[in-house]
Every structure is written in C-alpha cells, then in structure tokens.
Amino acid sequence: MPHRILCSMSVSIAELQQNPLAAVAAGGGAVLVFSDDEPAFYCVPPDLFEELQAAIAAARAGNAS
C-alpha cells in the first residue's frame, strides 16, 4: 500500500534503536521512522515540535472567532 512521505529524511527502527540521537539529529528536521518497510512514526526535534504546537494553537484560535 502506498504511503505519503512528508519529509526528506528517513531511518529504520533498527537505526533509531542503535543510536537515537544520531538518527534523529542528522536530518535537522522531521525524520520518518520505518518498521518492517512501513512508515511507523515521525520524530521531530523540540524546536520544530514547539513551532508545530504554536501553529496548531494559532489555527484553533483563528477558527474560534
């Protein structure tokens, strides 16, 4: 089944388990983690996560008006 990939960096779950910081920090942004050749989840650095949270809050505040 095809999956939409929403970032340019990906790692396997095995790579993530061996050295989590190196696997996630290498891309500088979001990293897709594969398990059994399927997208499992995305990892994002703290600063990007904060930006995403702020954007979600702003969108919710804009929709509430």
Side-chain angles (χ1 to χ4, degrees):
M1 178 171 163
H3 296 278
R4 188 169 166 198
I5 306 299
L6 302 172
C7 63
S8 59
M9 178 75 177
S10 65
V11 296
S12 70
I13 194 78
E15 290 174 289
L16 184 68
Q17 289 172 331
Q18 287 177 353
N19 193 345
L21 190 55
V24 175
V31 176
L32 174 61
V33 180
F34 279 93
S35 178
D36 296 325
D37 294 326
E38 294 283 325
F41 58 91
Y42 289 91
C43 287
V44 296
D47 56 338
L48 179 55
F49 186 77
E50 290 172 9
E51 288 178 33
L52 292 170
Q53 291 294 313
I56 290 168
R60 287 184 178 156
N63 290 336
S65 335

